[in-house]
């Protein structure tokens, strides 16, 4: 029992690890702040493309979404960071993470937005167009607000997934929270920093998970 | 003659003209040459069996459905053909749908003012004043802040009528405006339609409210198989139809 406490819940080690892990948390939040809006925006664009009238636009959008939903994010990240240099394209860890997560995230956000757009009855757009709104105005003022509302829990769930996914950035030595905790673990030979990081993830995500649960219940009722 | 009228809203032009309108879905020819003039201030009812092309004809009149050939003119101005500003023309053609199609995320007033603000570019206060006025015409200015889910079906359809009215259209199209309503709510909507007609609105109405058609319509059109089979004043079409198909259709309603 004592050994388990020492190995996983050593408060001294946690206290020593805290500054570095908090710095890692800062990087995690920074990645999220860049990657979530970018991914949502990209997803929206590809979702709109995937329901466009133009066949070529539709085809390209759907191909993009399929490709990056089928590519494991870890493979994508390592390919961008360690593979592309073979083509003479060397980029920083942060840029690699941003690009990789943008591609992965956009595909997932696109699929959610697409479901949202398809959930809005056709008559809504027809009513709007019949009053003289352009296609873009109809999307902005009529279709999109309803689409987003209909898939809000899924969008928020995806945000949770993205936050968790940022831990992958540790493989390209970007000093986010998992990477920081791992560093301390490797010098102290003690797992407590990892427990600390896990605790911070929980603290970060639990409120969001609660909010989603509440949304889902409201929609179900 | 059509080309003279098309050069710009001649005063004597019909409110709505449909010429040689054809429309197919795949191999299925749904409209086989429709010619129709609706005079200013006229209320025209369209009857016909299910699948006869009534909705398709109405939807071609504001190009929610793209005609294969033929033309549509509003007060002599072309709606079809090259160089037409469709979004501008559509403001002159109000449309009321069977399923209301109110925007659920906007209040009654929001529904009515959306196009006033985004299409006609009115400022918020101006649009809201015009919106309240339109809601007043359908007797619902006291429900302006209600959302569609907080309104009865009949109230929702009246808001939809106000949404179309607010743009001050030259003609209004109604596609079975009361057939999604509980029977006890139909009367309110018909009353509003009668008021709007009484104020001089030009109306083309697809509906099977025979009793209403009989005493409110100026003209009744019977469609079948994508063509206009017969038309005339209601007393003639209902009282002494000349075509066998019209008689067969009407007999189903009279029992
Ligand atoms: N978008 C479409 N694609 C394919 N076929 C269509 C489409 N819209 C209508 N049709 C077909 O065109 C025909 C005419 O339909 P329409 O809706 O105009 O009839 P209607 O007279 O309004 O009938 P109802 O009284 O049932 O509303 C029908 O056979 C219908 O199946
Ligand atoms: Mg119909």
């Amino acid at each position: 029992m004592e050994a388990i406490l020492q190995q996983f819940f050593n408060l001294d080690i946690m206290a020593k690890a805290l500054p570095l892990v908090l710095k890692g948390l800062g990087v995690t939040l920074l990645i999220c702040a860049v990657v979530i809006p970018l991914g949502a925006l990209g997803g929206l664009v590809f979702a709109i493309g995937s329901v466009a009238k133009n066949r070529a636009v539709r085809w390209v959008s759907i191909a993009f979404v399929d490709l990056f939903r089928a590519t494991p994010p870890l493979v994508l990240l390592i390919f961008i960071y360690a593979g592309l240099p073979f083509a003479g394209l060397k980029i920083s860890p942060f840029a690699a993470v941003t690009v990789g997560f943008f591609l992965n995230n956009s595909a997932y956000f696109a699929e959610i937005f697409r479901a949202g757009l398809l959930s809005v009855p056709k008559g809504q757009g027809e009513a709007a167009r019949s009053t003289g709104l352009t296609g873009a105005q109809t999307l902005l003022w009529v279709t999109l607000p309803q689409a987003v509302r209909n898939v809000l829990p899924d969008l928020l769930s995806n945000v949770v997934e993205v936050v968790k996914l940022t831990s992958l950035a540790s493989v390209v030595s970007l000093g986010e929270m998992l990477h920081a905790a791992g560093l301390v673990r490797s010098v102290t030979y003690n797992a407590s920093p990892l427990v600390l990081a896990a605790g911070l993830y929980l603290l970060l995500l639990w409120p969001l998970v609660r909010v989603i649960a509440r949304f889902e219940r409201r929609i179900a009722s | 003659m059509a080309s003279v009228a098309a050069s710009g809203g001649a005063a004597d032009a019909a409110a709505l003209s449909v010429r040689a309108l054809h429309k197919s879905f795949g191999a299925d020819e749904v409209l086989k040459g429709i010619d129709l003039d609706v005079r200013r201030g006229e209320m025209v009812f369209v009857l016909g069996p299910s699948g006869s092309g009534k909705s398709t004809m109405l939807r071609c009149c504001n190009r929610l459905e793209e005609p294969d050939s033929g033309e549509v003119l509003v007060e002599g101005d072309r709606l079809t053909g090259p160089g037409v500003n469709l979004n501008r023309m559509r403001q002159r053609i109000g449309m009321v749908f069977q399923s209301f199609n109110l925007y659920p995320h906007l209040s009654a007033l929001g529904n009515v003012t959306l196009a006033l603000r985004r299409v006609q570019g009115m400022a918020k206060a101006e649009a809201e004043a015009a919106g309240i006025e339109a809601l007043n015409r359908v007797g619902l200015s006291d429900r302006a802040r209600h959302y569609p889910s907080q309104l009865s079906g009949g109230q929702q359809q009246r808001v939809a009528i106000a949404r179309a009215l607010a743009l001050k259209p030259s003609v209004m199209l109604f596609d079975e405006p009361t057939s999604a309503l509980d029977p006890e709510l139909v009367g309110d909507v018909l009353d509003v339609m009668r008021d709007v007609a009484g104020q001089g609105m030009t109306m083309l109405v697809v509906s099977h409210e025979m009793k209403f058609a009989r005493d409110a319509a100026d003209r009744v059109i019977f469609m079948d198989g994508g063509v206009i089979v017969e038309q005339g004043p209601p007393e003639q079409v209902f009282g002494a139809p000349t075509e066998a198909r019209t008689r067969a259709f009407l007999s189903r309603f009279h029992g």
Side-chain angles (χ1 to χ4, degrees):
Chain A
M1 189 63 208
E2 181 67 9
I4 288 178
L5 283 180
Q6 276 304 314
Q7 202 45 248
F8 292 97
F9 300 96
N10 187 319
L11 292 181
D12 283 344
I13 291 181
M14 280 191 187
K16 283 204 192 89
L18 192 61
L20 199 61
V21 172
L22 280 182
K23 215 171 138 215
L25 176 63
V27 176
T28 294
L29 292 176
L30 177 67
I31 298 173
C32 291
V34 172
V35 152
I36 291 171
L38 269 184
L41 199 67
L44 189 56
V45 169
F46 285 108
I48 292 168
S50 74
V51 297
K53 279 211 192 76
N54 184 301
R55 188 188 301 242
V57 171
R58 215 163 55 220
W59 198 88
V60 167
S61 306
I62 291 172
F64 173 92
V65 171
D66 283 0
L67 175 64
F68 288 106
R69 282 207 329 150
T71 307
L74 187 55
V75 174
L76 186 61
L77 190 55
I78 293 176
F79 176 80
I80 291 170
Y81 185 65
L84 287 186
F86 288 101
L89 211 69
K90 193 150 172 46
I91 62 178
S92 71
F94 190 79
V97 167
T98 305
V99 172
F101 283 6
F102 169 74
L103 295 174
N104 176 270
N105 271 347
S106 309
Y108 278 91
F109 272 120
E111 203 51 29
I112 297 169
F113 278 124
R114 178 184 152 82
L117 289 172
L118 293 177
S119 74
V120 179
K122 228 174 107 222
Q124 289 291 312
E126 291 184 345
R129 297 307 301 270
S130 79
T131 61
L133 266 73
T134 64
Q137 288 173 323
T138 299
L139 187 66
L140 181 62
W141 299 108
V142 175
T143 318
L144 208 50
Q146 297 181 56
V148 169
R149 183 194 279 195
N150 290 351
V151 293
L152 200 53
D154 297 318
L155 288 171
L156 292 176
S157 295
N158 201 47
V159 168
V160 172
E161 290 308 311
V162 175
V163 175
K164 290 191 281 187
L165 209 62
T166 55
S167 58
L168 290 186
S170 57
V171 301
V172 297
S173 307
L174 188 60
E176 50 66 68
M177 190 155 61
L178 177 62
H179 189 254
L183 271 182
V184 185
R185 178 200 54 81
S186 66
V187 297
T188 57
Y189 297 104
N190 186 291
S192 302
L194 293 177
V195 175
L196 177 64
L200 288 175
Y201 273 119
L202 185 66
L203 224 56
L204 188 62
L205 293 178
W206 184 65
L208 205 50
V209 172
R210 272 286 83 214
V211 168
I212 294 167
R214 185 160 307 171
F215 267 125
E216 279 168 345
R217 221 171 323 131
R218 208 174 64 193
I219 283 176
S221 70
Chain B
M1 192 193 89
S3 65
V4 174
S7 65
D12 57 344
L16 177 72
S17 299
V18 175
R19 305 243 179 280
L21 188 66
H22 286 262
K23 175 71 185 176
S24 299
F25 293 108
D28 185 11
E29 192 179 12
V30 173
L31 299 179
K32 302 172 179 162
I34 301 284
D35 287 279
L36 173 65
D37 277 309
V38 183
R39 292 189 316 274
R40 289 174 201 228
E42 194 181 18
M43 162 137 57
V44 176
F45 258 68
V46 182
L47 314 175
S50 181
S52 57
K54 306 179 298 292
S55 295
T56 306
M57 179 188 72
L58 225 52
R59 291 162 57 82
C60 282
C61 287
N62 66 359
R63 284 177 62 190
L64 281 183
E65 218 67 77
E66 198 59 48
D68 295 337
S69 65
E71 19 177 37
V72 177
L73 301 102
V74 176
E75 295 177 321
D77 294 328
R78 276 188 306 108
L79 183 76
T80 46
V84 168
N85 185 335
L86 183 56
N87 293 320
R88 181 174 311 185
M89 287 300 292
R90 277 176 170 159
Q91 294 170 62
R92 295 164 64 178
I93 312 164
M95 184 143 191
V96 176
F97 301 85
Q98 178 174 354
S99 48
F100 327 140
N101 297 352
L102 287 187
Y103 315 131
H105 61 301
L106 298 178
S107 66
L109 188 58
N111 269 270
V112 176
T113 55
L114 181 65
L116 294 177
R117 298 199 59 199
R118 305 301 162 195
V119 181
Q120 300 198 334
M122 283 187 194
K124 190 163 190 243
E126 189 190 359
E128 294 200 336
I132 293 287
E133 190 194 315
L135 285 171
N136 215 2
R137 288 180 72 179
V138 301
L140 286 174
S141 48
D142 59 328
R143 296 284 190 278
R145 303 287 166 188
H146 285 57
Y147 283 81
S149 60
Q150 301 168 316
L151 299 171
S152 75
Q155 290 171 333
Q156 288 186 50
Q157 191 61 299
R158 283 150 66 196
V159 172
I161 293 172
R163 176 172 67 183
L165 271 177
L167 293 167
K168 305 205 182 317
S170 307
V171 53
M172 287 177 73
L173 312 171
F174 292 78
D175 193 357
E176 307 209 24
T178 57
S179 46
L181 296 176
D182 293 336
E184 72 272 19
L185 300 176
V186 168
D188 288 346
V189 171
L190 293 181
D191 286 345
V192 165
M193 288 172 65
R194 197 193 305 265
D195 285 349
V196 171
Q199 290 157 13
M201 178 60 69
T202 308
M203 296 160 72
L204 182 60
V205 183
V206 173
S207 169
H208 291 145
E209 298 290 342
M210 300 291 187
K211 196 168 159 301
F212 183 71
R214 214 182 250 274
D215 56 55
D218 298 300
R219 179 158 47 122
V220 173
I221 288 176
F222 176 70
M223 265 181 86
D224 194 11
V227 297
I228 293 178
V229 173
E230 176 164 7
Q231 58 178 307
E235 52 276 18
Q236 179 196 317
V237 173
F238 290 124
T242 55
E243 298 291 326
R245 277 193 280 178
T246 317
R247 282 198 295 274
F249 176 77
L250 291 174
S251 69
R252 283 197 274 127
F253 281 86
H254 298 310

